[in-house]
Amino acid sequence: MAQANRPDFFSREDGEKILPFSSTEYARRLSSLRSIMAARDVPAVVFTSMHNVSYYTGFLYCAFGRPYACVVTQEACTVVSANIDGSQPWRRSIADNVIYTDWRRDNFWRAVGELVGQSTRLGIEADHLTLAARSTLEQMLGARELIDLAGDTMQARMIKSDEEIALIREGARIADVGGEAIRQAIRVGTREIDVAMAGRDAMELEIARAHPNSELRDSWVWFQSGINTDGAHNPVTTRELSAGDILSLNTFPMISGYYTALERTLFVGEPDDASLNYWKANVEAHELGLSLIRPGLSCSEICEELNNFLAEKDLLQYRSFGYGHSFGVLSHYYGREAGLELREDIDTVLEAGMVVSMEPMLWIPQGMPGAGGYREHDILLVGEDSSENITGFAYGPEANIIDI
């Protein structure tokens, strides 16, 4: 009998709304989205990715095995969240909020169905909606024509607003704070994890000071040494630093879902000649790349210039990955503006309002003189005529050989 009194979903508003951007900024984003919807003849959209839910509402969810969504129509914007989160999704979003319960399976889709109504065309993110979720959608909501808006929204997110750029500037500044804390913690015999914690703690303390209303979550450091520098995303270990080690410093402060990064090559004491030559060559590639980040050039053109440079030095075979990517609402476990990566197969032309990195990497395999991964990373704001480098941490042998 008690089961009959339990709702499938409900609304509750506890506390006050706290947002990383102004209501005007969210109105701009939703207006742009609704223009896309009108052009594609899509009356309602169901976004399920962390990045689009965050971008259009301000709420960055923690899935933990549960589905979340942002449902947008021409009249409303609503976060659909799990009961486990209470009213936090309402407090941390510009949107309305519907909370679904666990009393019956698929209450999430019942709530979504209520919000989208009888719309026969439904916008989705095909790159995020799993086969299982799509099957359940079709069972619960009936026959709907599903229109993929992932590419459209990615294009919209590529151009940053003034408010976004201000937050990204702050992220770059705080990444430098973490980098300096790491530099000061480097000692022979110190473990990677100890150095990484110094950088992470410094960034989180600065985010807490400068952005007291933000959610303190997800900032991290990858600090790699020796053989562990061969992969850009290699996790931190307990390896102890030794004299002569190549190091890779990587700081990632996260403010309200916005990712920024600083990456630098360092050495514990003087590098050998082979290492120094590879390092200097990668710095030259980095500086060439910085000069190429400007409006009017395409991602593939920038990539070709850098490939030619490395080929002339007989180093192209050691290039590890693409030369840079977009910034904004993204992290190592969600989000990616894949249409703005500096790779051979991306022809997007840079324009004002875009934010991209320059991050060449050479990977010299073990067994060769100078073995290790060499990487530098700066963030650039593309303007009307040129670009601005907002990373301040020094790079290269003159700055990052640590005395022992």
Side-chain angles (χ1 to χ4, degrees):
M1 294 295 293
Q3 182 81 9
N5 297 324
R6 292 173 170 178
D8 292 335
F9 50 87
F10 64 97
S11 294
R12 184 177 176 88
E13 301 172 359
D14 292 332
E16 298 179 355
K17 286 189 176 290
I18 304 171
L19 293 162
F21 301 107
S22 69
S23 58
T24 301
E25 171 67 8
Y26 288 106
R28 180 195 67 80
R29 297 179 185 188
L30 287 168
S31 176
S32 173
L33 173 59
R34 286 171 174 138
S35 294
I36 294 169
M37 292 165 61
R40 299 289 301 274
D41 188 24
V42 177
V45 299
V46 180
F47 291 140
T48 50
S49 69
M50 293 181 77
H51 45 279
N52 265 342
V53 172
S54 177
Y55 183 77
Y56 288 110
T57 74
F59 172 59
L60 185 64
Y61 65 73
C62 175
F64 234 115
R66 295 174 171 86
Y68 288 73
C70 166
V71 177
V72 181
T73 66
Q74 289 295 339
E75 296 77 30
C77 174
T78 308
V79 169
V80 181
S81 61
N83 199 14
I84 196 170
D85 291 326
S87 292
Q88 189 230 18
W90 182 82
R91 288 193 299 274
R92 290 287 175 173
S93 76
I94 196 70
D96 297 327
N97 179 217
V98 169
I99 301 168
Y100 71 91
T101 66
D102 291 342
W103 315 138
R104 284 205 295 167
R105 183 178 297 276
D106 296 325
N107 276 346
F108 169 79
W109 289 109
R110 291 185 177 89
V112 169
E114 182 79 10
L115 293 167
V116 301
Q118 300 303 309
S119 304
T120 57
R121 287 169 60 84
L122 192 62
I124 61 162
E125 298 166 90
D127 59 357
H128 190 266
L129 193 68
T130 65
L131 292 173
R134 178 169 182 155
S135 176
T136 306
L137 183 158
E138 291 169 344
Q139 292 172 23
M140 297 292 296
L141 274 61
R144 311 265 180 159
E145 185 180 0
L146 302 182
I147 311 300
D148 181 20
L149 296 184
D152 300 77
T153 55
M154 178 183 68
Q155 292 286 338
R157 296 196 313 273
M158 281 184 191
I159 306 297
K160 313 306 177 191
S161 68
D162 290 343
E163 289 191 33
E164 287 181 285
I165 288 173
L167 188 65
I168 291 169
R169 283 184 185 276
E170 269 292 274
R173 180 185 69 81
I174 293 170
D176 288 347
V177 170
E180 186 55 37
I182 286 172
R183 201 180 190 286
Q184 295 301 319
I186 294 171
R187 300 283 189 281
V188 170
T190 301
R191 300 177 303 173
E192 289 179 2
I193 182 61
D194 299 314
V195 179
M197 287 192 295
R200 184 202 63 205
D201 289 352
M203 293 192 298
E204 290 192 332
L205 287 169
E206 181 58 14
I207 293 171
R209 185 198 69 79
H211 301 271
N213 290 325
S214 64
E215 295 176 316
L216 296 171
R217 58 185 288 191
D218 298 335
S219 294
W220 83 102
V221 167
W222 283 323
F223 180 75
Q224 301 138 349
S225 63
I227 192 172
N228 295 334
T229 63
D230 62 353
H233 299 162
N234 292 351
V236 174
T237 75
T238 58
R239 183 183 185 278
E240 294 183 359
L241 308 190
S242 300
D245 272 349
I246 184 173
L247 309 175
S248 187
L249 174 162
N250 310 268
T251 63
F252 308 98
M254 294 289 291
I255 311 171
S256 299
Y258 273 68
Y259 166 102
T260 46
L262 165 71
E263 301 175 14
R264 290 289 183 260
T265 299
L266 306 92
F267 270 83
V268 182
E270 289 291 332
D272 58 58
D273 289 344
S275 298
L276 187 60
N277 288 335
Y278 286 127
W279 191 5
K280 287 181 176 178
N282 200 57
V283 165
E284 287 184 61
H286 182 60
E287 291 177 338
L288 173 60
L290 294 175
S291 73
L292 295 171
I293 303 296
R294 59 181 186 270
L297 279 182
S298 70
C299 296
S300 56
E301 288 173 329
I302 293 169
C303 186
E304 182 178 9
E305 287 279 345
L306 290 167
N307 281 347
N308 289 339
F309 172 82
L310 292 177
E312 289 173 2
K313 290 183 171 290
D314 194 26
L315 294 173
L316 184 58
Q317 66 271 31
Y318 301 125
R319 173 191 154 193
S320 182
F321 53 81
Y323 292 108
H325 58 79
S326 181
F327 282 80
V329 181
L330 63 98
S331 177
H332 57 314
Y333 58 91
Y334 66 86
R336 193 69 164 177
E337 292 166 14
L340 190 49
E341 295 192 18
L342 304 182
R343 299 184 351 184
E344 290 89 342
D345 58 338
I346 304 295
D347 294 321
T348 304
V349 176
L350 298 187
E351 58 181 286
M354 292 179 171
V355 183
V356 296
S357 61
M358 174 48 56
E359 48 178 307
M361 177 176 173
L362 296 177
W363 169 28
I364 311 304
Q366 291 298 306
M368 292 181 58
Y374 300 79
R375 187 167 69 260
E376 314 294 343
H377 178 299
D378 289 14
I379 301 173
L380 296 100
L381 310 178
V382 181
E384 295 293 340
D385 303 307
S386 59
S387 64
E388 177 188 357
N389 189 338
I390 60 173
T391 297
F393 198 90
Y395 60 80
E398 295 78 10
N400 289 327
I401 296 175
I402 308 300
D403 294 332
I404 57 173

